[in-house]
Amino acid sequence: MTAELVRGQNHPLSQARLEIRVSAGVPMVAAATLGDEQGKIHGVEWVAHPGAPTLPGLEVSRQAAADHRLAVDLDAMPEAVHRVSVLLALPTGVGGPTSFGAVPTPFVAVTGLDGAEVASYTVTGLAAESAVVALELYRRQGAWKVRAIGQGYAGGLAALFTDQGLPQAQQLAGGINEAVAQGVARSIPAPPPRADGDRSRQAPAPAHGPDQGGGPAQQGAATPQPTSPYGPGQPTPPNSPYGGQAPGMPGGPVQPPYQGGADPTDPTQPSAPTAGGPINYSHPGRQNAAPPPPPPTAPPAQPGQPAQPVAGDATGWSMDERLYNQVWGMFEDLARSTAAYRSAVDFADSRMEKELDQVLSDPRSRIGGQGDAAREAAQAKHTQLVSQARATLDRDLAHLVAESDVVEPALPAAYARWDNPVWHGYRVPMEIPMALRLGDLHLPESEGLRIPMLIRLPLERGLWIDSGRGASLDGSFTDSHDLRRLAMETAVAHAARLLAVYPADEFTVHVIDPAGSGAQALASLVQTGVLAAPPAMGAAGVADVLARLTQRVDLVQMALRAGAPDSLPPDFDTSQQLLIVNDFPHGFDDRAVNQLRYLADEGPAVGVHLMMVADREEASGYGPLLDPLWRALMRLTPVPDDHLADPWVGHAWTYEPPVVPPGSQVLHQVLTQVAAARAKYR
């Protein structure tokens, strides 16, 4: 499962040999720097760039290109190296764009040697900058992680190197730009536009230029070269990440760049024949194509019969991504089919009204059987049009229901209902999933079809579980006590799912329950020991929890703004944080209310999320002060309610919260496993 990082977020690396793939719309320079524990570069020999593309454990492209692949071997990194920063820069002096604001947003992915993505980051928010530190691989307590940086520099590579403490920043930046300018005529052009417009689901084309090789073409019969992990058919240079060294570190000199002549590793150059036939320079384990199509797991449809639905029948690199795309494809299909049906019914209604108006506008048709006949004809035409539209909708619904029946049992735990058998084989995951199920969605025309409501992780907005009486679809819940109990149980189910789908040490839950009214619903979280601390009670408990989380947001924001995320304390908990607030605004003073608003606005960007269980009417005394708070949160309800609007087709979707089957122990069993896994990390 790929971790889609946001700025400042990190992700553990379980593999030592990696590729860093860069995809952009225009040629740009890819480089990398090696830094010590403080991130300082000790000299130009600690920088890999087109003029000196290899260092111990590191190899970069030799030219400006629209796509790059950087090879990294973390086991080959010298002991003094604690950071590997991946740099992107627009080449200067070649007549191209001079700022990232004028080019497509770069996309960077960390992959294994088999092409499977480990983490990815879309470098957004750049404008006048011409150089950027995109990613950073860093070593902490013997383990390597990747962090999304996105720090741009309007002064280009010179300003970037100066910020990293390199004395020869100006000279090195000039040398890199000169080396790139000399070979810009042979740099890799931008790839053609992709059909789906989503490069995060496509493998970038190999960034191999005509001069990305090891030396001049040899005379006579060609001899197969050892392949480098950098790209298909690339001879392993003396100082590649899998052998050799660089100046300034133990080992020999850096291999000079290729100076000219036909490159034997260039796929555009013909290979010299050998006794065994032509040489195949393609790497057998590398994927350079678009995401693989869905596997043909269903028998072909008979002529005249619709195709049988298949779970995972969508594009994607993994089954989880295919299922995610398939679920949202079902959502879009249902939305379009229902919109078409409603539009047809509206047309039939307007046509009948127009025909009746024409009949009634003629006084002669009001007397005798002529008017009755016209009215009957208009009614019959209306019925015919509506019946045709309904038949088309029923056909589409039948296909979607059949697809849902196949997809629902195949969903992973993060996407599955609580009654899905997948929970019986639950194990604490090692990676963050792509998305999370918050409940189900359906429309009045399709009562029997439920579409999973999936949202991407990490959460970009907090959640508000509305415990007010207005949360009931039909107004049948008039007992406010029962509604509050259901709201708290819904919040616990959401929190349990979040704990279950995150790795054991990467998600922490805090609870504020000032009056203790949620003790019964919180029992499963408290008894299994998955909470960071017992639920905070009273005004003092509220103030303490809010102060700690507010301070956390401040610290992370200051570290990111200063470009020094590693300056956080060594014992700083880097996991995602969730705060569940029950019975708001009881126990909250004005300071606490302001802190809550601050967490809702600023928290998600630095991994602090809010889940409110509250009735807006009870907080009406604050007036418009809390309007930004409610707007910042995604409103969910503990009972079915049609409050989720779809602006594209004008639907109001009915939301149904996740429900744990009555008498089921699945929630307790899952939380027990989470608690046991977390105990191993303490």
Side-chain angles (χ1 to χ4, degrees):
M1 180 66 66
T2 303
E4 297 186 358
L5 305 180
V6 297
R7 185 175 183 182
Q9 185 182 2
N10 59 43
H11 185 73
L13 297 174
S14 59
Q15 305 177 50
R17 295 187 175 185
L18 303 165
E19 276 189 346
I20 299 176
R21 301 183 177 186
V22 180
S23 178
V26 297
M28 60 180 58
V29 180
T33 62
L34 305 181
D36 57 17
E37 288 186 278
Q38 286 72 41
K40 183 179 180 181
I41 307 174
H42 285 222
V44 294
E45 65 274 8
W46 283 44
V47 182
H49 56 84
T54 54
L55 292 178
L58 183 62
E59 183 178 357
V60 303
S61 306
R62 299 174 182 269
Q63 279 295 343
D67 290 327
H68 291 274
R69 292 189 181 185
L70 287 66
V72 179
D73 186 354
L74 299 176
D75 289 341
M77 290 291 170
E79 290 295 328
V81 174
H82 288 262
R83 292 191 193 180
V84 181
S85 300
V86 178
L87 321 177
L88 301 177
L90 295 171
T92 60
V94 296
T98 59
S99 66
F100 280 106
V103 302
T105 303
F107 174 79
V108 187
V110 180
T111 75
L113 295 184
D114 59 353
E117 287 191 9
V118 179
S120 63
Y121 173 47
T122 302
V123 189
T124 58
L126 301 178
E129 297 87 346
S130 58
V132 62
V133 180
L135 289 180
E136 179 183 76
L137 312 182
Y138 65 98
R139 177 165 30 195
R140 175 174 290 181
Q141 298 177 352
W144 285 90
K145 294 186 177 183
V146 58
R147 176 185 287 116
I149 301 297
Q151 178 63 52
Y153 296 85
L157 286 173
L160 189 154
F161 290 142
T162 300
D163 188 48
Q164 294 195 350
L166 183 64
Q168 308 93 333
Q170 293 287 347
Q171 297 89 327
L172 179 59
I176 294 174
N177 291 327
E178 182 179 356
V180 172
Q182 290 176 354
V184 73
R186 295 174 293 166
S187 63
I188 309 302
R194 298 185 174 94
D196 62 358
D198 186 1
R199 63 184 168 204
S200 65
R201 298 177 190 163
Q202 304 283 345
H208 300 148
D211 58 351
Q212 281 186 292
Q218 299 179 359
Q219 300 295 328
T223 303
Q225 299 276 355
T227 56
S228 162
Y230 179 70
Q234 296 294 326
T236 304
N239 43 359
S240 89
Y242 309 102
Q245 302 295 334
M249 300 177 188
V254 174
Q255 177 190 12
Y258 175 63
Q259 298 297 326
D263 186 357
T265 66
D266 186 358
T268 64
Q269 299 289 341
S271 302
T274 63
I279 300 172
N280 181 7
Y281 287 106
S282 64
H283 194 294
R286 179 159 292 112
Q287 299 176 357
N288 293 327
T297 57
Q302 297 297 326
Q305 297 294 327
Q308 296 298 318
V310 178
D313 188 15
T315 59
W317 288 111
S318 65
M319 179 55 74
D320 285 0
E321 184 177 1
R322 289 176 177 177
L323 289 169
Y324 173 84
N325 292 333
Q326 186 173 10
V327 166
W328 280 107
M330 293 166 59
F331 172 85
E332 293 171 356
D333 289 345
L334 179 57
R336 284 193 293 264
S337 296
T338 306
Y341 169 73
R342 293 182 180 180
S343 177
V345 172
D346 290 342
F347 170 76
D349 291 342
S350 62
R351 176 171 178 162
M352 184 179 67
E353 290 179 2
K354 182 178 180 180
E355 292 177 350
L356 292 177
D357 287 342
Q358 290 177 349
V359 171
L360 296 176
S361 63
D362 187 355
R364 293 172 297 178
S365 63
R366 302 175 191 171
I367 305 173
Q370 184 179 358
D372 294 337
R375 280 190 288 270
E376 290 177 0
Q379 290 282 1
K381 187 62 176 179
H382 176 271
T383 302
Q384 179 186 3
L385 292 175
V386 172
S387 298
Q388 290 176 350
R390 186 69 212 192
T392 302
L393 177 63
D394 289 342
R395 180 198 63 199
D396 294 341
L397 290 180
H399 178 78
L400 287 173
V401 168
E403 188 173 10
S404 178
D405 291 341
V406 173
V407 170
E408 192 70 48
L411 295 178
Y415 306 170
R417 291 196 298 251
W418 285 112
D419 59 356
N420 193 309
V422 71
W423 289 107
H424 297 302
Y426 168 77
R427 295 292 182 271
V428 178
M430 298 299 294
E431 294 183 348
I432 302 173
M434 176 180 291
L436 180 83
R437 186 173 189 159
L438 287 183
D440 293 335
L441 299 172
H442 69 87
L443 292 170
E445 292 84 354
S446 55
E447 285 291 340
L449 178 61
R450 300 293 188 269
I451 305 295
M453 179 181 174
L454 305 180
I455 61 168
R456 299 297 291 266
L457 291 178
L459 297 174
E460 296 182 356
R461 298 175 63 189
L463 303 178
W464 165 31
I465 315 300
D466 190 354
S467 61
R469 296 184 182 182
S472 175
L473 180 62
D474 55 3
S476 58
F477 276 85
T478 57
D479 189 335
S480 60
H481 177 74
D482 286 345
L483 207 53
R484 290 178 181 176
R485 175 183 54 81
L486 286 174
M488 197 61 199
E489 291 176 354
T490 302
V492 170
H494 287 313
R497 185 181 291 266
L498 283 164
L499 285 165
V501 303
Y502 270 83
D505 61 336
E506 294 191 21
F507 200 83
T508 304
V509 177
H510 310 266
V511 176
I512 289 178
D513 188 19
S517 59
Q520 182 179 355
L522 292 168
S524 57
L525 296 177
V526 175
Q527 293 172 4
T528 54
V530 294
L531 296 180
M537 301 179 64
V542 172
D544 177 63
V545 173
L546 291 177
R548 285 189 285 110
L549 291 179
T550 302
Q551 183 184 34
R552 175 191 177 85
V553 173
D554 290 339
L555 285 174
V556 177
Q557 283 187 339
M558 286 189 293
L560 292 177
R561 290 168 181 168
D566 280 348
S567 63
L568 294 169
D571 58 344
F572 187 83
D573 182 10
T574 59
S575 66
Q576 299 279 307
Q577 309 285 312
L578 175 68
L579 173 61
I580 302 176
V581 177
N582 183 37
D583 210 14
F584 177 82
H586 181 79
F588 282 74
D589 56 17
D590 290 345
R591 176 181 175 83
V593 169
N594 287 330
Q595 289 175 323
L596 199 65
R597 286 184 52 189
Y598 178 72
L599 292 178
D601 292 337
E602 305 293 337
V606 293
V608 178
H609 310 284
L610 190 61
M611 184 184 295
M612 296 274 293
V613 182
D615 180 0
R616 186 170 183 174
E617 292 299 324
E618 293 184 356
S620 59
Y622 287 94
L625 177 66
L626 291 182
D627 287 349
L629 172 64
W630 306 120
R631 287 195 298 266
L633 305 175
M634 178 186 292
R635 178 176 176 257
L636 303 176
T637 55
V639 292
D641 184 56
D642 59 347
H643 68 280
L644 292 176
D646 185 347
W648 296 105
V649 290
H651 298 324
W653 291 83
T654 297
Y655 166 78
E656 292 187 0
V659 177
V660 179
S664 173
Q665 296 297 315
V666 61
L667 205 67
H668 184 81
Q669 293 170 0
V670 168
L671 291 176
T672 300
Q673 290 196 41
V674 172
R678 294 181 62 176
K680 298 178 181 179
Y681 289 91
R682 294 174 181 171

